[in-house]
Each structure stands twice: as structure tokens, then as C-alpha cells.
Amino acid sequence: MDEIRIDHIITGLETGGAEMMLRKLLEQMEPARFRSRVISLTDSGTMGRAIEGLGVPVETCGMKPGRLAPGGFRRLLAFLRKDRPQIVQTWLYHADLLGGIAGKMAGVPHVLWNVRHGNLDPHRNKRTTLWTVRLNARLSRRIPQAIICNSRQAMQTHIAAGFASDRFILIPNGFDCSKFAPCDAARKAVRDELGITATAPLVGMIARFDQQKNHEGFIAAAKIVASARTNAHFLLAGRGIVNENSQLT
């Protein structure tokens, strides 16, 4: 069987859900069947070295987040024309837009988008993000052969926003259950560090501080639980979860 060349184009490689899922996907792909490469529109971020450690090359276009740079787009197009992949799979809105256009211009036979966002509330998204979503909706019938969604909510949200309904494929996030499994030692270590007894309820929210993550909703729910279970504890962790965050405190 001939080797299949796949270029994954992503907006950036800072640590996040899409970036982690890309890395997990690359870990599980058969190197004898697929030759993968990752192209970041911005820089290699915190994930670039980890991906290169899998034997997957990482290229960068040097764009600033949220900004279209003609020079960066030309580099992206040059990468595709030189490598001539059979498949381009894009991750996140700006990569869907620019990677999709570049893939078509480079004559890539199969262009696939990734949509991994389930809330288009104008109060919880940047205007530039919503503009990109609207443009992608218009192009969704012309550029991607398929649009991969990781949740039914995301799929329904984007169909309502004007995306081509017949392009969507639902593939939920996958997890390695040998790694993500209950661990008595880790449970005890965290509780000992925080001074929480073994029997007290402990509820955690692991997410960066962002309106999309709805920390306000978590705190409102915690108030209800704490009023009924006075020994309950609540743990927040993630980027921006610090004492200096006055909005959170």
C-alpha cells in the first residue's frame, strides 16, 4: 500500500484541547501507512517539541495570532506545494480558513476541516472569531470535503450558523483509558497536599480562565453544593487560575 501524506494545519501549538488531541492522533497513526507533518500558522508553542519527539516534523508560518500576514500565507502555500500531500486536515477556525484556501490553491485532493467549538455566543467570543466563523460558513460548501466535529453540540451549532449540513462527520474525542484511569496514589497525594480528608467530596474544574469555560457557572453550582454538603471542597486549576486574578477572586 502506498504511503499517504497528511499535512495537519493548526492555528498554533500552545497547550490546549485541540492541540492535545492532535498530538494524541499523531501518536496512534501507523507510520508505515501515513507520513504526517504539522504546520502551525504561528509558532511551535509548547507542543511543537513534543510532536517532533514523535518523529513528526513541525513547520511554522510566523503569523501573529488573529492576524493574516501575506508572508506567512505564502510560506504556508509553499509548504503545501513542495510536500504535495494527499490530505490536508485543518484545526481551528483560522487554520480552517487559511489552510483550506491554501490547500485548494496547492491542488491538494482532499481538504478536511476540524470544528471543535460549541458556543458562538457573541458575549463569549471575539468579534474577529465570529467574522471568521461567518466566512467559513460561506466557504463550507466549496472548500472542505468533510468537516469533523468532536461533539454533537458543536455540529448543531455550526449548522445553525450556516455551515453545510451534509459535510459533517461526528468523531468524539478519544482517550487512552490506561492513562486516564482512577489512581489511588494520586488521589491521596492531592488530598494530602491540600489537607482534605479521604471521605470529603472534592469537585475539580481543570480549564484555563476564559468565558467559554464558564467558571461563573461552576462557582454558582459550588455554592449550591456547599450549602448542602458543608464538607465539600472545590478545586480550580488552569492557565489564569491565580490569586492575582481579581475577576475570579
Side-chain angles (χ1 to χ4, degrees), residues 181-192:
C183 176
D184 290 337
R187 180 181 192 275
K188 184 178 185 303
V190 170
R191 286 172 177 265
D192 287 349

Side-chain angles (χ1 to χ4, degrees), residues 1-197:
M1 183 180 295
D2 292 338
E3 180 184 65
I4 299 174
R5 299 185 306 280
I6 304 176
D7 278 0
H8 293 270
I9 303 174
I10 191 164
T11 302
L13 286 172
E14 293 300 332
T15 303
E19 295 81 1
M20 291 294 293
M21 201 53 59
L22 170 58
R23 178 187 172 185
K24 291 176 184 178
L25 177 63
L26 294 169
E27 285 178 333
Q28 298 300 321
M29 296 183 73
E30 300 178 36
R33 291 186 59 197
F34 303 101
R35 180 167 63 82
S36 299
R37 178 175 68 164
V38 173
I39 303 174
S40 168
L41 297 185
T42 54
D43 54 33
S44 59
T46 56
M47 296 291 298
R49 185 172 297 178
I51 290 174
E52 288 177 329
L54 301 174
V56 177
V58 174
E59 307 283 3
T60 59
C61 297
M63 298 186 192
K64 298 294 183 182
R67 296 182 182 179
L68 171 59
F73 183 78
R74 286 195 293 269
R75 280 193 290 274
L76 171 62
L77 190 57
F79 288 143
L80 298 181
R81 285 175 170 167
K82 182 178 180 180
D83 195 49
R84 301 186 65 81
Q86 287 102 323
I87 300 172
V88 157
Q89 180 167 338
T90 61
W91 298 69
L92 306 176
Y93 293 135
H94 293 86
D96 291 343
L97 176 61
L98 299 181
I101 293 173
K104 285 294 185 181
M105 291 176 64
V108 176
H110 306 288
V111 175
L112 311 178
W113 281 359
N114 251 297
V115 170
R116 315 180 64 83
H117 193 53
N119 187 329
L120 296 178
D121 184 341
H123 300 293
R124 294 181 179 272
N125 290 276
K126 298 177 182 178
R127 282 187 296 177
T128 52
T129 298
L130 295 176
W131 292 340
T132 305
V133 169
R134 294 189 190 104
L135 185 53
N136 284 356
R138 293 185 178 183
L139 295 174
S140 63
R141 290 167 178 79
R142 300 180 181 181
I143 290 181
Q145 184 175 354
I147 304 172
I148 299 169
C149 260
N150 63 332
S151 74
R152 195 170 301 279
Q153 172 66 34
M155 183 172 65
Q156 293 171 344
T157 295
H158 288 82
I159 290 174
F163 281 66
S165 61
D166 61 344
R167 296 289 198 275
F168 282 93
I169 299 174
L170 178 62
I171 304 178
N173 289 341
F175 295 90
D176 184 348
C177 293
S178 66
K179 296 180 180 179
F180 293 91
C183 176
D184 290 337
R187 180 181 192 275
K188 184 178 185 303
V190 170
R191 286 172 177 265
D192 287 349
E193 179 183 350
L194 300 176
I196 300 173
T197 66

